[in-house]
Amino acid sequence: MEKATSAGKHLPIEQMELFLLFDGVSNWCWGQVSSWPLIAQKSMGDQLIRLADSICANLVEGDGRYGVAEGLRFLFIARASARETRFWIGKSVSRLLISEVEGEAALASLRKATALLNNLIRYRNDRGAFEVKETLSAYPVDVFSEAI
């Protein structure tokens, strides 16, 4: 599992292995798409690059949020973008824009990074993201009875 802290301090997500793996795939996608024919760049390539970049952007945004639940929302979006990135890499392989060997290497990195992301989501969720933070006695029962 990713360590969220280093000696009790927050470890920025940009320093975590999962981020570095996603960022590597993102940069790889950019390099691949830049050599594709124009029609492939405009139809599939733009989508692939936007998705791969959005994984990292959502990880950073989620890590910067104060509340656990709010941060988790961005981690879920990053995970969905990773899944769609896997789809487009597979489609690129089937359309012979990316070699099978290179595509499988990128997919393996995405699978590993996504597994680490799932661990991070589980860790942060276990910290009580969805617990009610107030007590039941916070409001008097007869607050509205006097107004009637």
Side-chain angles (χ1 to χ4, degrees):
M1 179 174 75
E2 290 289 328
K3 291 196 180 222
T5 59
S6 176
K9 294 184 181 181
H10 176 76
L11 179 65
I13 202 154
E14 298 92 339
Q15 295 176 16
M16 292 184 179
E17 181 183 6
L18 71 92
F19 183 88
L20 298 173
L21 288 167
F22 282 130
D23 192 45
V25 170
S26 173
N27 291 333
W28 175 83
C29 288
W30 177 269
Q32 292 296 309
V33 170
S34 66
S35 66
W36 290 0
L38 190 57
I39 189 168
Q41 285 181 358
K42 288 186 174 207
S43 60
M44 295 172 49
D46 287 348
Q47 183 72 0
L48 178 59
I49 289 169
R50 283 189 312 110
L51 283 164
D53 286 347
S54 79
I55 298 167
C56 295
N58 279 293
L59 290 173
V60 170
E61 187 164 1
D63 194 48
R65 295 298 174 146
Y66 178 75
V68 176
E70 190 179 13
L72 278 170
R73 181 175 158 266
F74 287 95
L75 299 183
F76 294 145
I77 293 168
R79 184 172 60 185
S81 293
R83 183 175 178 185
E84 194 173 350
T85 300
R86 289 193 307 269
F87 167 80
W88 283 113
I89 289 174
K91 184 64 80 175
S92 301
V93 169
S94 70
R95 292 185 179 171
L96 305 176
L97 295 165
I98 295 173
S99 75
E100 254 185 81
V101 172
E102 288 181 298
E104 186 48 48
L107 291 172
S109 288
L110 281 171
R111 283 190 294 271
K112 180 177 181 181
T114 302
L116 293 171
L117 177 56
N118 285 332
N119 288 341
L120 180 62
I121 288 170
R122 196 172 306 110
Y123 169 77
R124 290 200 177 168
N125 192 37
D126 288 346
R127 291 178 53 210
F130 300 109
E131 292 178 10
V132 175
K133 300 294 183 194
E134 64 181 306
T135 63
L136 292 175
S137 62
Y139 304 101
V141 176
D142 62 346
V143 160
F144 296 106
S145 64
E146 293 176 15
I148 297 177

